[in-house]
Amino acid sequence: MNHDELHAFYDFTGRTALITGGTGGLGAEIARALMGCHANVVILNRDQEKARKVIEGFPGNAKGRALHVTGDVLDAESLRQAREIMIAEFGAVDILINAAGGNHPSATTSKELSFFDLPLDAMQHVGDLNLLGTILPCQIFGRAMAERREGVILNVSSMNAFRPLTRIPAYSASKAAVSNFTQWLAVHMAQNYSPRIRVNALAPGFFITDLNRFLLMDADTGEPSARGKAVLDHTPMKRFGTPEDLLGATLWLISPAAAFVTGAVIPIDGGFSAFSGV
Ligand SMILES: NC(=O)c1ccc[n+]([C@@H]2O[C@H](COP(=O)([O-])OP(=O)(O)OC[C@H]3O[C@@H](n4cnc5c(N)ncnc54)[C@H](OP(=O)(O)O)[C@@H]3O)[C@@H](O)[C@H]2O)c1
């Protein structure tokens, strides 16, 4: 393979990527990087103002175009409407990145809230957001990939999927389900539609964003909380991740450089999952 081909792998000119949760701490960085690699970028989330700010921060020299579509990953009708707007503008989704997801304090055990008292609606919300919030966009945006027999899906799982973390049972279980679904859909697409449809997932370790700040940082001191310190002690690289740390694996997995990779869940965790603690 010559080096021109290697460079071309990461030039997404003429390709359209839709990123659910493209305004989040991680999704926004992925969206910016894809703009920088000349893709058309569609951000799907619920809050238009947040999306406007992210799009304002996109690189000025990008060849692609940016679009925001309002949608809720748990509301199939809103996703269908988003798909119509997106199709009118760009024709098709080549790359779907499912970065909407998260935990919630009310689904987190604490001194005040035992496992036995976790409210049903909170656990249901977290479970649905991560699992159904990944499955529904795959159904709605993946159908056209199946018809065209080509496409790339990248889900966002978590360290929790390999081994559950304390205090967040619904989040842990739902991310394990996202990893499992990633493998399921990879096989299903390849066997029933085309080996040119690939489905993979990132499994980020610990990145400080709105999702987990309340667990990992002490709001009063701005220093890592006891839990944050425990994470750092268990991370051989001794730091939290930054959103840019996800970009290499993301670009690789969605590019033709990963043409023979499907059903993979890639840890990006500073070695957290490799460390036994001893
Ligand atoms: N941060 C970490 O350390 C970490 C580690 C492992 C895995 N992850 C996973 O990585 C993904 C991104 O996390 P993050 O840290 O970037 O989270 P974040 O900063 O809290 O962002 C969450 C994003 O999801 C969107 N969202 C939430 N509910 C939605 C819904 N019902 N419909 C549409 N969009 C929705 C939010 O936008 P709106 O609120 O505007 O709709 C926002 O864009 C999540 O799946 C998370 O579980 C994160």
Side-chain angles (χ1 to χ4, degrees):
M1 182 179 295
N2 70 41
H3 285 187
D4 286 344
E5 276 179 331
L6 277 177
H7 291 300
F9 281 160
Y10 300 105
D11 181 341
F12 293 93
T13 303
R15 318 280 291 167
T16 299
L18 184 138
I19 306 171
T20 74
T23 55
L26 305 185
E29 187 61 30
I30 291 173
R32 262 191 296 277
L34 279 171
M35 277 311 286
C37 293
H38 306 305
N40 297 317
V41 172
V42 184
I43 287 182
L44 185 147
N45 75 320
R46 296 163 303 175
D47 181 334
Q48 192 163 7
E49 185 51 23
K50 272 204 261 174
R52 191 185 60 74
K53 285 192 187 135
V54 170
I55 289 175
E56 259 175 26
F58 280 166
N61 60 349
K63 287 190 210 155
R65 283 177 295 138
L67 174 72
H68 170 243
V69 287
T70 304
D72 183 328
V73 292
L74 294 176
D75 176 353
E77 190 45 40
S78 82
L79 293 176
R80 284 190 205 99
Q81 284 169 12
R83 181 182 59 191
E84 293 315 305
I85 296 169
M86 199 279 316
I87 285 175
E89 190 73 20
F90 296 119
V93 175
D94 301 295
I95 300 158
L96 168 65
I97 300 181
N98 285 308
N103 184 40
H104 196 271
S106 56
T108 304
T109 65
S110 64
K111 283 197 192 96
E112 294 75 38
L113 183 61
S114 82
F115 164 67
F116 307 103
D117 297 320
L118 287 174
L120 174 63
D121 59 346
M123 290 189 290
Q124 212 155 31
H125 173 72
V126 169
D128 284 355
L129 176 59
N130 292 298
L131 180 57
L132 285 182
T134 299
I135 292 179
L136 283 180
C138 288
Q139 287 184 306
I140 288 165
F141 297 102
R143 185 190 288 274
M145 293 181 183
E147 285 163 6
R148 287 165 39 228
R149 303 193 176 269
E150 183 169 22
V152 179
I153 296 175
L154 183 64
N155 296 328
V156 182
S157 180
S158 165
M159 269 309 98
N160 288 275
F162 299 114
R163 265 185 306 171
L165 300 177
T166 57
R167 300 187 53 195
I168 46 180
Y171 184 70
S172 290
S174 59
K175 286 299 189 184
V178 168
S179 291
N180 184 286
F181 170 67
T182 299
Q183 294 174 315
W184 183 88
L185 190 63
V187 173
H188 183 75
M189 288 295 208
Q191 286 187 333
N192 293 285
Y193 298 101
S194 167
R196 286 161 58 80
I197 303 172
R198 299 183 301 104
V199 186
N200 292 294
L202 305 174
F206 299 84
F207 296 66
I208 307 294
T209 67
D210 290 347
L211 169 79
N212 53 19
R213 192 168 285 108
F214 78 100
L215 280 171
L216 298 179
M217 302 302 281
D218 183 316
D220 297 326
T221 65
E223 295 294 314
S225 62
R227 187 180 177 90
K229 284 187 196 130
V231 166
L232 292 173
D233 284 345
H234 202 93
T235 302
M237 291 189 179
K238 292 289 176 220
R239 66 173 175 87
F240 294 119
T242 64
E244 302 87 69
D245 288 321
L246 294 180
L247 298 181
T250 298
L251 294 179
W252 169 60
L253 285 170
I254 65 173
S255 80
F260 199 47
V261 181
T262 199
V265 182
I266 308 290
I268 302 163
D269 65 346
F272 183 91
S273 56
F275 184 37
S276 69
V278 177

